[in-house]
Amino acid sequence: MSPFLLFALMLFSQLMVGLNTPLPPPSYGDHVSILSIDGGGIKGIIPATVLDYLDKALKAKDPTTSLADYFDVISGTSTGGLMTLMLAAPNSSHSRQPLFTPSEVVQFYKKNGPEIFRRQHLITCPRYDGEFLKRKTVELLRETRLNETLTNVVIPTFDEKKIQPVIFSNYKLKTESYLNAKLSDIGLGTSAAPTYLPNHEFENDGVRFDLIDGAFAANNPALVAVSEVIQNNGQKEILLLSLGTGIPKPNKEKLGNIFDGVCQLSWLPFHTDVISEAAYSTDMTHYYLATIFPGLLPDKNYLRIEEYNLPPSLNEMDNTDKKNMDNLEKVGKGLLTQKVKRMNVNSFEPFELDQTNSQALDTLAEKVFAERQLRLKRKYMEKGGRPLLETVQVLSG
């Protein structure tokens, strides 16, 4: 065999190592990467649109890969939890391809949103019976369980009978086997927003679950995901991409006064916005993450993309009018041209940095791609492989 042909074969074999190959564990690399997606119903179109940009940037480097090939953890709450499963569940047995690309997620929302949020009667509680969402979720996710995801997932839910959070995480399966539930049950549990969709009850491994919206545990699941990573990956540096579903410009006088228990009875019906703020606000998550970035980890490793001035007309989580969904997609695309914003955890007001979100995503794509290549190289070397440069030198010698 000629040296040139031998070189070509070896070059091809080494290049193929990275194609459609699972991401080696963080022990082979320098960083642990996390993608986190907030809750927000149909507003999930916004982060899905942002992710489409990142997915295309990564596919330009390697068209055989998906987001699950670059992120050690994908975490999501409520609609973000459903999106997590769409991006991390295999599309068939023994497949390395996910159920959906981000672009397909956007189209899924637009096609199925009107059926998911279709009212059967004028006055019902919850507003929607959840039957269409249940059928669709079971149809897509089939019998797939948590231990079969393409990468680690972290999905918060809340058990309304036990009055405690339940965190479905691949990491926890080492000690809590009862959490290895069907992905369809996990998705229906985390998305069961009270007053919108019914609670989801099921049994797994002898344990009963009665789950409602994961937002009652963490509407922004970034801190939950970071906690899982720190507990299981030691001192590895963390890369975190956190995506919001848009919040309207804050009303500083929305709280009013709270007096005694009797007054609360008359106060609560007229202050549902306060309950929503307490249950779904991500401000405290920003506050806690400020301790980690840059307290423990490099500040540049944390990217939060959020629309902080969402038009009030787009804030309803169940508005599936075509015009509204198209406008949500426009918001996602518009975020790409906005400057990166960071939350001031003293005033809880965002401030701008000197690059756009698309530029920041391009930088992140470079980082996670380089990390993947590094891990593949180190794993290949561990098996007795030889670096490409060394191969060239031997053949040319």
Side-chain angles (χ1 to χ4, degrees):
M1 182 180 295
S2 70
F4 177 78
L5 180 58
L6 179 61
F7 167 72
L9 288 174
M10 294 192 72
L11 173 61
F12 178 75
S13 67
Q14 292 203 29
L15 288 175
M16 287 299 292
V17 169
L19 299 182
N20 205 21
T21 303
L23 179 66
S27 57
Y28 289 95
D30 294 338
H31 303 92
V32 184
S33 51
I34 301 172
L35 166 61
S36 174
I37 311 167
D38 288 11
I42 199 65
K43 295 192 298 176
I45 289 173
I46 296 173
T49 302
V50 173
L51 281 177
D52 182 41
Y53 179 90
L54 177 62
D55 184 55
K56 285 181 169 61
L58 289 167
K59 279 186 167 57
K61 301 176 183 298
D62 184 346
T64 70
T65 56
S66 67
L67 292 176
D69 293 311
Y70 295 98
F71 287 97
D72 295 293
V73 174
I74 302 180
S75 181
T77 293
S78 195
T79 195
L82 287 172
M83 199 182 309
T84 292
L85 298 178
M86 296 163 83
L87 297 172
N91 64 11
S92 62
S93 298
H94 310 297
S95 171
R96 282 299 308 166
Q97 294 301 316
L99 273 176
F100 288 85
T101 65
S103 176
E104 291 167 340
V105 170
V106 174
Q107 297 311 310
F108 175 89
Y109 277 102
K110 287 188 166 188
K111 178 181 178 181
N112 296 288
E115 288 298 321
I116 294 172
F117 295 114
R118 183 184 296 279
R119 283 186 95 146
Q120 303 300 314
H121 306 285
L122 185 60
I123 301 176
T124 56
C125 188
R127 294 186 189 181
Y128 312 102
D129 61 19
E131 289 302 315
F132 179 84
L133 178 61
K134 183 176 182 179
R135 288 197 306 272
K136 202 68 183 176
T137 302
V138 171
E139 172 193 326
L140 290 171
L141 296 169
R142 306 176 302 279
E143 298 295 309
T144 310
R145 291 185 176 270
L146 181 58
N147 66 344
E148 299 175 89
T149 53
L150 299 177
T151 189
N152 297 302
V153 303
V154 176
I155 298 179
T157 64
F158 194 90
D159 194 305
E160 65 174 356
K161 290 287 175 61
K162 298 173 184 175
I163 318 297
Q164 65 184 36
V166 180
I167 311 299
F168 289 93
S169 164
N170 297 72
Y171 293 116
K172 293 186 183 300
L173 296 184
K174 302 170 188 175
T175 57
E176 314 294 335
S177 60
Y178 68 93
L179 292 175
N180 191 30
K182 293 180 184 178
L183 297 185
S184 57
D185 285 323
I186 297 172
L188 290 169
T190 192
S191 60
T195 75
Y196 287 91
L197 292 164
N199 59 309
H200 183 62
E201 298 183 62
F202 67 97
E203 182 176 322
N204 189 62
D205 200 18
V207 177
R208 293 289 305 173
F209 296 90
D210 185 351
L211 302 181
I212 59 174
D213 196 348
F216 281 86
N219 193 52
N220 177 344
L223 188 62
V224 179
V226 168
S227 177
E228 285 289 287
V229 165
I230 291 176
Q231 291 178 56
N232 291 276
N233 290 281
Q235 300 301 312
K236 287 286 184 181
E237 203 170 281
I238 294 174
L239 295 175
L240 171 61
L241 171 60
S242 175
L243 302 178
T245 55
I247 54 177
K249 190 172 183 178
N251 178 0
K252 294 301 183 181
E253 299 179 356
K254 62 187 170 186
L255 286 179
N257 296 313
I258 302 177
F259 300 104
D260 54 27
V262 174
C263 291
Q264 289 178 21
L265 293 177
S266 61
W267 177 86
L268 287 173
F270 302 99
H271 290 80
T272 55
D273 57 338
V274 179
I275 304 302
S276 176
E277 179 74 8
Y280 301 110
S281 172
T282 63
D283 284 349
M284 289 308 296
T285 299
H286 289 300
Y287 187 84
Y288 295 136
L289 284 172
T291 302
I292 301 173
F293 300 94
L296 301 178
L297 301 164
D299 190 45
K300 66 181 185 300
N301 286 7
Y302 173 38
L303 174 60
R304 170 72 173 176
I305 299 181
E306 174 74 285
E307 175 53 71
Y308 292 99
N309 291 291
L310 189 71
S313 61
L314 300 181
N315 196 44
E316 294 298 324
M317 62 176 283
D318 58 344
N319 183 350
T320 55
D321 291 342
K322 182 180 184 304
K323 182 178 179 181
N324 187 73
M325 293 190 291
D326 288 344
N327 284 335
L328 289 171
E329 186 175 6
K330 289 178 182 177
V331 169
K333 291 179 178 178
L335 274 171
L336 298 171
T337 61
Q338 287 186 22
K339 291 290 184 68
V340 174
K341 293 184 177 68
R342 187 66 50 83
M343 181 67 74
N344 182 317
V345 294
N346 294 311
S347 66
F348 290 103
E349 293 285 350
F351 62 93
E352 290 187 348
L353 302 184
D354 61 355
Q355 61 177 334
T356 65
N357 285 315
S358 61
Q359 290 171 329
L361 287 170
D362 288 338
T363 300
L364 178 65
E366 294 286 348
K367 288 182 179 179
V368 295
F369 180 78
E371 174 72 11
R372 174 176 166 79
Q373 298 307 108
L374 175 65
R375 293 189 195 181
L376 290 170
K377 174 184 175 183
R378 287 177 176 172
K379 187 172 183 179
Y380 182 72
M381 290 292 293
E382 181 182 75
K383 293 182 177 180
R386 175 179 284 173
L388 181 58
L389 179 59
E390 186 178 329
T391 301
V392 174
Q393 292 173 338
V394 170
L395 291 173
S396 62

